Amino acid sequence: MERAKRVIRLFMKNRLAAASLVVFIIVLLFCILGPLFTPYDYSTIDVKNCWQSPSLQHPMGTDGIGRDTMTRLMYGGRTTFSITFTAVLISLLGILPGVAAGFWGGRVDNIISRINDALGAIPTFLMVIFAENMMGWGGGNYRYAMGVALIPPIVRIARSATMEVVGKEYVEAARALGVGSTGIILTHIMRNILSPIIVHVSSSLADTLVMCTLMGYLGIGVNPPEPEWGNIVHGGYAVILSKPIQMIIPSSLIVICVLSLNLIGNGLRDGLETGKERS
Amino acid sequence: MSNELLRVENLIKTYPARTSKGQPVRAVDDVSFSIEKGKTLGLVGESGSGKTTTGRAVLRLTEPDSGSIFFEGKDITKGNMRPYRRKMQIVFQSPAGSLDPSFPVWKIISEGPKAYKLLKTKREAVELSRELLLRVGLNSEDAFRYPGEFSGGQQQRIGIARALAMEPEFVVCDEPVSALDVSYQAQIVNMLIDLRQERELSYLFISHDLSVVMHLSDEIGVMYQGQLMELGSCEEIAKHPAHPYTRELLRAVPVADPRKAASRESRIIAFPEGSVNRGCPYRLRCPVAGEECGGERPSFRDLGGGHFSACIKE
Amino acid sequence: MAPTFLAIMLVVFLLMSVLPGSNINEFSSNGGGDWLDGIFSSLNMTDSIVARYVRYIVNLAKGDFGEGRSSAGLGSNIFYRLGFTAKLALFGFLLSAIIGIPAGTLAAVKRGGRADKAVSVLTLVMSSLPSYALAVVLVLIFCLYFNLLPPFGFGTPEYYIMPTMVVAAGGVAMTTRMTRSAVSGELGSQYVMVLRAKGLTGRRIVWLHVMKNALGTVVASLTNLASQLLCGTLIAENFFSMPGICQLLTKSISGRNQHTVLGCVAVLSVILMMVNIVSDFAAALLSPRIKDAMVYGGGRQNGES
């Protein structure tokens, strides 16, 4: 745990990363707590007031059928983040086979790597589209497919990190002390493969967020009227030439999130990599 | 015989060839020796002589291909090593590599006893490591630091503390001082000697530095290219080295008196690459080698008094 | 490659036969040629899943994707749109290469300097910007403010400019990053040091070798780039209403037209696989080191010292 403190300290030194973390937390709070403060519901239709520009009543305007955009963004954020986080969590399942492949090598490694390569050969997007098609679209069923599509890189990273650790002398030392394989995996290996995985997770959060909103934007994401950031952008497309702000607002929100996640990931990477090198 | 702690018979370990055209390498080629309780066997040789592999094979960190290992009379060559690991420990050559940088020191030291469920709480583990840290000359507060914060010599002490935590009877010291500054070497070697006395330990001390080995071993084994060239008591080997290779190693040991040093012969012979499969492996460098040395592999001849040599010329 | 493709299609096919509302069973009950029927009936497998799958694959190979909701032949529709998408993707690829490779090389050469930092910042921004956001910005600038380019439709080259930029956006960041790491990897390698130490060799020759090898590495991961470009094309076609295969794909998903989806997925997978093969070849051609690695495989080095 002391090591974690060291990493956090280094991370905080990187002002850009720290600022991004703050920004991201603000956005999260906006989505989680925001709905408590708005008078609107995300499906309150008020067609007379459609396509309003930002005003006091509707700080971010209204959409095509009069729903308040800000409220929709708050709820939409919940949906988007829930899909994104679920997908990334599912991808973490790949740690286990990766460690297994790296630790035991030989045939186990062969089998796992082949399956992993086959899975990774399928382009993410096609897999997701296909899964959505199959499972009935809407309701964010595609989060499971996204999660699965994110597994191969994790397996690869876990595997190579494990292989690096397995070759180290302290693993041999642990064996000489009488520690069994399970013990070695749970302690030495797990602690030492965390950093590359964390770095990857942060960047995959950003990519998954983009992909999730992408699906929404193409109109093949969550079912309306349920809001999701990509959906909202999609909705704004109808009036892009007349009222471009309708697309700009949700897009900017998305861009801010993705940018912060990327910067956080960069900060984490720098923090973890320099934190490890101590002579 | 009841005094015998470790016996190794005809140990062989071969590694497959690295390239498609190369030969498999016999890292340990029919090595036999025994160590009595409380005694120290020093294993000397240059890099590639197989001494490190032997050390690891004895502990079965590397599985031997054939041969037998007996510990306290029991055959431990195959089967579960776990019951024996308590009594047989190892100190590694590179201090930094053998300590997990993500573990605090107390965790490193108590890892062994914890694996045998000898320690139940974290407090016990920290207590134990504090005691051992003091014993190896470090501070008890160091228990909460990380290996990266220590110097090489200190890290090596942590490694020794870790080995001692198991209260072993036998410790393989794999070049424990080779990676350290000369000033540190003496400290660590002396500490090992003290510990040996205190706890009645037996060592298999591996090193390429003959002077260090002679300082703390009761018996010495000389290895070359995986084979044991000479085996005998420290005194015998120092005074009457029977094998030409042993003599070459002795020549390399610095001698205080410059007049004596000058009188020693030295000869540099270039030896061709390629594996040597026939006869004595040393013959390509040997100053007294002859035709007959390229024939059969010389057997380990008993010269009396526990002194063995694998040279047919003596 | 073929096994991977067949595997993908098998999974696709099995899932589709299991799910309700899919009419793939009727589709694959006949067709494929009489010789197939002969084989299957002799093995008593006429109606099994295997038979249906094989028929489906054979049909695909003949270009017959079955009937879509609109009774126009799906196959021809797909192939017509394919040409479109291919043009768009190709332009996008060229654009990202034209921008990305020099940028990456510059960053690698002036490592740590201002140019490198600037390039890093730009890469970060580009990879954080979802393509549709970029599309919005482009439309804003070029259509609304400057009134230069038409936003929707196709035909004359001007319609292609913004879509190409959107497609390229997905690829530029990746290309730049890869080129930078590949080139700086080459520049740091031993043969470059040797050549430089000799001093006599002209800069041109050094550069030739460096770039060849670096590009080899970049080309090797062309498949990844292709996935990115695919996403970009999807958005571009959707946003700018260009009749390509990706647009068909998204429309058929929303329209729950499973046949079409299957057909598009099949075609796209094949194309991606071909890209994979081509990229491997090209990489081996460019960089002898990669060629050796591919031919001799990663040698497992056993044994400790």
Side-chain angles (χ1 to χ4, degrees):
Chain A
M1 286 305 112
E2 294 82 31
R3 203 176 42 136
K5 285 190 212 147
R6 205 192 312 160
V7 172
I8 294 179
R9 210 184 326 135
L10 273 163
F11 178 81
M12 288 301 165
K13 274 200 195 156
N14 181 347
R15 301 244 195 86
L16 206 52
S20 308
L21 186 61
V22 171
V23 167
F24 186 67
I25 294 183
I26 293 181
V27 174
L28 274 181
L29 287 176
F30 173 75
C31 299
I32 301 179
L33 298 178
L36 297 173
F37 296 106
T38 77
Y40 307 100
D41 182 46
Y42 67 79
S43 50
T44 315
I45 300 183
D46 182 10
V47 189
K48 274 186 296 183
N49 276 330
C50 71
W51 295 133
Q52 296 263 336
S53 300
S55 62
L56 271 180
Q57 262 209 320
H58 295 275
M60 293 190 188
T62 60
D63 71 352
I65 46 180
R67 301 177 287 200
D68 176 45
T69 306
M70 187 157 87
T71 315
R72 296 208 89 218
L73 281 176
M74 290 178 189
Y75 281 100
R78 287 186 179 182
T79 315
T80 307
F81 280 126
S82 115
I83 298 180
T84 308
F85 285 136
T86 315
V88 173
L89 273 173
I90 294 181
S91 75
L92 288 181
L93 286 174
I95 294 185
L96 209 55
V99 170
F103 191 71
W104 280 292
R107 287 190 62 195
V108 172
D109 182 12
N110 250 343
I111 299 178
I112 294 183
S113 291
R114 293 260 174 120
I115 299 180
N116 196 47
D117 287 342
L119 199 59
I122 308 178
T124 312
F125 196 75
L126 290 184
M127 198 191 293
V128 173
I129 286 188
F130 177 68
E132 244 232 317
N133 197 33
M134 287 302 107
M135 300 195 241
W137 56 290
N141 276 335
Y142 55 95
R143 73 185 78 191
Y144 305 114
M146 272 208 285
V148 168
L150 289 170
I151 288 185
I154 297 250
V155 171
R156 245 174 278 142
I157 291 183
R159 174 180 176 271
S160 69
T162 306
M163 284 178 143
E164 247 194 75
V165 172
V166 162
K168 292 259 166 83
E169 218 172 27
Y170 54 78
V171 168
E172 209 182 357
R175 280 208 190 279
L177 292 170
V179 186
S181 292
T182 335
I184 293 184
I185 292 183
L186 287 176
T187 53
H188 295 283
I189 294 191
M190 282 302 171
R191 289 170 80 117
N192 285 300
I193 63 173
L194 271 187
S195 11
I197 291 188
I198 290 181
V199 170
H200 183 259
V201 163
S202 68
S203 78
S204 94
L205 271 176
D207 294 335
T208 313
L209 186 61
V210 171
M211 177 148 298
C212 174
T213 53
L214 193 64
M215 304 288 287
Y217 164 72
L218 291 174
I220 54 184
V222 185
N223 262 332
E226 209 177 316
E228 189 262 321
W229 284 350
N231 264 349
I232 299 175
V233 177
H234 177 74
Y237 179 68
V239 289
I240 183 173
L241 290 180
S242 52
K243 289 186 186 285
I245 190 122
Q246 296 287 349
M247 268 192 114
I248 293 182
I249 291 185
S251 305
S252 317
L253 193 56
I254 297 177
V255 170
I256 290 178
C257 280
V258 174
L259 200 57
S260 344
L261 280 173
N262 274 333
L263 286 171
I264 294 176
N266 278 354
L268 275 176
R269 191 179 354 121
D270 294 337
L272 283 169
E273 268 170 24
T274 52
K276 264 206 288 185
E277 320 251 320
R278 297 283 226 105
S279 61
Chain B
M1 270 285 122
S2 60
N3 243 353
E4 175 193 273
L5 188 63
L6 178 78
R7 178 155 52 101
V8 169
E9 285 179 3
N10 308 108
L11 203 61
I12 297 186
K13 174 70 185 174
T14 319
Y15 285 112
R18 281 185 178 228
T19 62
S20 54
K21 290 190 217 130
Q23 304 267 19
V25 178
R26 280 205 156 182
V28 180
D29 199 347
D30 195 5
V31 169
S32 314
F33 57 82
S34 71
I35 306 181
E36 291 184 9
K37 279 203 190 118
K39 300 283 188 187
T40 299
L41 171 65
L43 214 49
V44 222
E46 49 194 46
S47 342
S49 56
K51 52 192 195 305
T52 301
T53 316
T54 308
R56 279 182 162 64
V58 162
L59 248 46
R60 283 185 57 204
L61 290 174
T62 311
E63 294 287 349
D65 293 322
S66 73
S68 325
I69 310 169
F70 296 88
F71 186 73
E72 287 180 342
K74 300 185 212 112
D75 187 343
I76 60 169
T77 326
K78 297 197 193 319
N80 194 6
M81 263 302 275
R82 205 142 184 270
Y84 301 101
R85 291 234 182 267
R86 279 201 65 180
K87 304 194 188 165
M88 310 168 77
Q89 278 301 304
I90 179 168
V91 174
F92 290 93
Q93 172 174 4
S94 81
S98 64
L99 307 177
D100 187 337
S102 74
F103 270 34
V105 167
W106 65 265
K107 236 187 182 196
I108 294 178
I109 296 182
S110 60
E111 190 178 8
K114 180 158 174 274
Y116 282 88
K117 308 247 190 322
L118 300 171
L119 299 167
K120 293 194 195 57
T121 64
K122 173 176 167 180
R123 190 168 351 134
E124 286 179 23
V126 174
E127 276 304 309
L128 177 66
S129 33
R130 280 203 165 131
E131 275 178 45
L132 287 166
L133 281 171
L134 287 172
R135 179 61 196 85
V136 298
L138 295 170
N139 296 320
S140 76
E141 302 94 64
D142 290 336
F144 289 102
R145 293 171 149 196
Y146 286 84
E149 307 179 44
F150 295 94
S151 72
Q154 294 170 318
Q155 287 169 342
Q156 195 60 296
R157 292 171 196 259
I158 298 177
I160 295 176
R162 171 175 63 186
L164 292 177
M166 301 289 281
E167 296 188 356
E169 294 175 18
F170 172 66
V171 182
V172 173
C173 302
D174 186 4
E175 308 238 31
V177 293
S178 311
L180 305 176
D181 297 333
V182 179
S183 47
Y184 265 127
Q185 289 188 15
Q187 288 183 35
I188 301 283
V189 168
N190 287 331
M191 181 168 73
L192 286 172
I193 296 179
D194 289 339
L195 287 168
R196 174 176 66 184
Q197 180 117 18
E198 248 177 57
R199 302 175 181 227
E200 293 173 11
L201 300 171
S202 312
Y203 289 150
L204 175 62
F205 192 91
I206 302 176
S207 177
H208 59 266
D209 189 343
L210 188 53
S211 48
V212 171
V213 171
M214 285 173 61
H215 187 55
L216 60 59
S217 310
D218 300 303
E219 294 201 316
I220 296 188
V222 179
M223 286 187 72
Y224 184 76
Q225 296 218 2
Q227 297 180 18
L228 209 48
M229 294 282 112
E230 186 166 356
L231 179 64
S233 75
C234 188
E235 273 190 54
E236 268 294 305
I237 292 203
K239 292 201 196 129
H240 307 292
H243 196 283
Y245 179 55
T246 316
R247 280 184 244 138
E248 180 183 330
L249 288 178
L250 282 166
R251 272 198 290 274
V253 173
V255 166
D257 188 344
R259 287 170 292 175
K260 273 200 198 153
S263 68
R264 287 198 274 177
E265 279 181 47
S266 61
R267 218 176 122 181
I268 304 174
I269 308 173
F271 56 95
E273 271 192 35
S275 60
V276 181
N277 275 332
R278 304 178 313 277
C280 175
Y282 185 57
R283 63 189 160 84
L284 298 174
R285 268 163 73 173
C286 183
V288 300
E291 284 279 328
E292 59 278 21
C293 296
E296 271 198 16
R297 171 176 167 169
S299 56
F300 215 39
R301 286 181 17 230
D302 189 345
L303 304 175
H307 191 173
F308 298 82
S309 165
C311 182
I312 54 182
K313 292 236 136 200
E314 293 288 320
Chain C
M1 311 302 147
T4 322
F5 174 69
L6 288 176
I8 298 181
M9 295 312 295
L10 180 64
V11 172
V12 163
F13 182 81
L14 286 175
L15 280 176
M16 285 187 70
S17 12
V18 164
L19 284 159
S22 153
N23 55 351
I24 201 164
N25 289 332
E26 302 113 52
F27 170 56
S28 49
S29 296
N30 43 20
D34 298 322
W35 54 281
L36 274 181
D37 291 336
I39 300 181
F40 287 137
S41 55
S42 69
L43 290 174
N44 240 347
M45 292 197 326
T46 320
D47 224 13
S48 65
I49 285 243
V50 175
R52 280 186 265 150
Y53 175 60
V54 173
R55 282 206 200 93
Y56 179 71
I57 295 286
V58 173
N59 277 339
L60 273 189
K62 293 201 297 187
D64 180 1
F65 291 88
E67 304 291 313
R69 286 256 175 92
S70 56
S71 49
L74 197 55
S76 51
N77 195 10
I78 287 188
F79 285 117
Y80 162 69
R81 289 168 171 272
L82 197 56
F84 231 105
T85 307
K87 247 194 294 184
L88 193 57
L90 195 61
F91 290 155
F93 168 66
L94 285 175
L95 185 59
S96 56
I98 291 178
I99 299 184
I101 295 184
T105 317
L106 181 65
V109 171
K110 307 253 189 234
R111 236 184 156 178
R114 285 189 311 175
D116 187 13
K117 294 212 174 102
V119 169
S120 308
V121 168
L122 279 176
T123 317
L124 182 64
V125 170
M126 298 272 3
S127 56
S128 306
L129 207 60
S131 318
Y132 48 83
L134 180 66
V136 172
V137 169
L138 286 178
V139 165
L140 265 181
I141 299 180
F142 290 108
C143 298
L144 292 180
Y145 283 166
F146 291 129
N147 216 353
L148 271 180
L149 298 167
F152 312 118
F154 58 101
T156 60
E158 22 179 59
Y159 286 100
Y160 276 91
I161 297 185
M162 285 195 293
T164 312
M165 288 169 76
V166 169
V167 174
V172 164
M174 185 179 268
T175 326
T176 315
R177 223 179 287 147
M178 298 226 53
T179 317
R180 180 183 178 280
S181 81
V183 171
S184 59
E186 291 299 317
L187 287 178
S189 66
Q190 291 199 332
Y191 73 89
V192 171
M193 278 193 271
V194 167
L195 289 178
R196 284 220 180 117
K198 281 203 194 158
L200 300 172
T201 321
R203 287 176 106 199
R204 207 188 300 166
I205 303 187
V206 173
W207 273 110
L208 194 65
H209 281 282
V210 165
M211 289 316 286
K212 261 185 63 177
N213 283 328
L215 283 178
T217 321
V218 172
V219 165
S221 46
L222 203 56
T223 348
N224 274 342
L225 187 64
S227 295
Q228 290 282 73
L229 290 175
L230 177 67
C231 283
T233 325
L234 264 153
I235 298 176
E237 287 187 15
N238 191 300
F239 197 89
F240 297 104
S241 303
M242 317 216 83
I245 196 172
C246 298
Q247 193 200 42
L248 181 63
L249 186 59
T250 42
K251 288 232 174 85
S252 59
I253 293 180
S254 348
R256 316 231 192 146
N257 189 338
Q258 282 161 339
H259 264 136
T260 326
V261 171
L262 203 54
C264 293
V265 169
V267 169
L268 286 172
S269 308
V270 168
I271 294 189
L272 277 166
M273 244 162 270
M274 292 200 305
V275 168
N276 200 354
I277 300 181
V278 166
S279 82
D280 284 344
F281 260 136
L285 271 179
L286 279 174
S287 163
R289 194 189 319 144
I290 295 185
K291 181 179 74 159
D292 287 339
M294 284 187 199
V295 174
Y296 296 111
R300 202 74 75 70
Q301 300 236 329
N302 252 348
E304 306 126 30
S305 57

